[in-house]
Amino acid sequence: VGPKGWLDFLDDVGIDWTVLYPTTALAYGKIVSLDYAVAAARAYNDWLCETYIKYNPRFKGMAIIPMQDPEEAAKELRRAVTELGMLGAMMPSNGLPQPLGAKAYWPIYAEADRLGCCLAIHGGAHDRFGMDHMNMYVPVHALGHPWGLTFNCANIVYNGIFDRFPRVRIAFLEGGVAWLLLLLERLHASHETHFQYIPPSEFGIREEEDPSKYIKKQIQDGRFFLGIETEELTLPFAIKIVGNSPFLYSSDFPHEVTNESCKHDLGELMESDEITAADKAAMLYKNAESFYRLPL
């Protein structure tokens, strides 16, 4: 829709500022050429800066970084944040040869830790999740987004990323909230029966720790966030389990929504009697301010 169309949408719906994420580039983890991955990331980030960020301060940007070459990814993260004014970077939930907690990617977390910027994992590419031969796309779309977030989150948690890099903030976006409830339930049981030895000098959840409490602590410390949609059935229960501080409202404009559908969804959220006024304020702006470090 372009920057003018975006501003018209923001004004009409009543949104003060927005953080822009890619569309086709949600699948940038599938690029196999290292040189092309570096060039594509730089080109996208330059375009986003010139087209949106410089156009109006209500537009904020998240970079893409060439995760295929972690050293170059760390360099591009630094350039995007310090030179282009990006808030952080988006990491792909699918396509890379290793999950996102792998040691190969630690230089990227180290740079984010040094910069104090945020990182986000965004669903959007669904192949190789065991659904490639499904004959209907609805279940692929429904399950693909949260599944990429679920296994990457588990890998990040159990590789000690939050402990190893104490300033890193991570959001898991466009997968709803139900996957987190599944993860908390399953990790709690499996941690007790299938714990793998970790040397005392290593980072990560200890055998005597409860992984659900560990994740809740990251949430309480303002380091773990989730993107939500307003009509999710499990949202009131999720707030009861982990509180309201991790949840970030996403319009998903202009993909599968319109101005009217966004206003309808926001109206339903504001009229809900299942969540409090404090919950609504947290989801609509306070948590975004905390994650992106952008006070209004």
Side-chain angles (χ1 to χ4, degrees):
V1 297
K4 179 63 168 58
W6 256 104
L7 287 176
D8 290 342
F9 165 75
L10 297 181
D11 288 338
D12 185 34
V13 176
I15 297 175
D16 290 315
W17 53 273
T18 188
V19 183
L20 300 170
Y21 285 81
T23 302
T24 303
L26 292 177
Y28 83 85
K30 295 182 179 184
I31 300 174
V32 295
S33 164
L34 300 188
D35 292 340
Y36 187 77
V38 173
R42 288 182 63 91
Y44 171 84
N45 296 334
D46 288 342
W47 168 82
L48 185 64
C49 178
E50 291 296 326
T51 307
Y52 283 91
I53 296 174
K54 289 184 177 180
Y55 183 83
N56 192 290
R58 295 170 70 185
F59 295 132
K60 317 298 179 184
M62 290 289 277
I64 62 173
I65 52 177
M67 302 281 292
Q68 296 85 342
D69 187 335
E71 182 178 346
E72 289 297 323
K75 291 180 182 178
E76 182 60 12
L77 175 62
R78 181 165 59 252
R79 184 183 83 95
V81 172
T82 62
E83 298 180 24
L84 302 183
M86 303 283 188
L87 304 182
M90 186 212 88
M91 302 187 294
S93 64
N94 191 17
L96 296 173
Q98 299 184 73
L100 294 176
K103 189 174 183 178
Y105 307 128
W106 290 359
I108 298 164
Y109 294 109
E111 186 62 27
D113 188 77
R114 189 185 71 80
L115 293 168
C117 68
C118 57
L119 298 171
I121 303 165
H122 198 300
H126 310 136
D127 62 313
R128 300 182 299 174
F129 283 168
M131 302 183 290
D132 292 349
H133 296 286
M134 277 193 173
N135 65 327
M136 299 294 286
Y137 186 63
V138 168
V140 176
H141 183 270
L143 300 175
H145 278 74
W147 179 237
L149 302 182
T150 305
F151 78 79
N152 278 299
C153 178
N155 192 256
I156 286 170
V157 166
Y158 271 85
N159 276 278
I161 299 302
F162 287 106
D163 299 319
R164 196 180 304 274
F165 306 103
R167 297 180 68 204
V168 166
R169 307 183 307 282
I170 303 176
F172 302 85
L173 303 178
E174 205 165 337
V177 300
W179 69 267
L180 178 62
L181 301 174
L182 168 69
L183 185 64
L184 293 176
E185 181 72 26
R186 297 300 299 171
L187 289 183
H188 177 79
S190 296
H191 187 90
E192 292 183 346
T193 57
H194 291 75
F195 183 80
Q196 179 180 333
Y197 172 74
I198 298 178
S201 59
E202 270 299 323
F203 292 97
I205 301 179
R206 319 314 303 182
E207 185 172 11
E208 65 275 10
E209 288 186 280
D210 182 337
S212 61
K213 292 181 179 178
Y214 176 90
I215 291 175
K216 290 177 186 178
K217 184 179 186 305
Q218 307 312 315
I219 292 172
Q220 293 165 0
D221 290 346
R223 305 187 59 206
F224 188 114
F225 296 82
L226 274 81
I228 63 155
E229 298 175 11
T230 59
E231 74 276 13
E232 297 189 56
L233 297 176
T234 53
L235 183 56
F237 181 70
I239 293 173
K240 179 180 178 181
I241 298 299
V242 301
N244 65 24
S245 59
F247 303 121
L248 307 168
Y249 165 72
S250 169
S251 71
D252 202 29
F253 180 81
H255 296 148
E256 297 151 359
V257 301
T258 65
N259 294 33
E260 294 309 312
S261 68
C262 283
K263 287 189 281 189
H264 176 269
D265 290 343
L266 287 169
E268 281 197 337
L269 178 71
M270 294 306 296
E271 293 170 6
S272 172
D273 57 5
E274 294 186 275
I275 56 177
T276 68
D279 296 333
K280 297 167 187 175
M283 291 185 287
L284 291 178
Y285 70 94
K286 287 187 176 181
N287 297 341
E289 290 179 344
S290 177
F291 176 62
Y292 293 112
R293 298 286 169 87
L294 276 175
L296 296 178

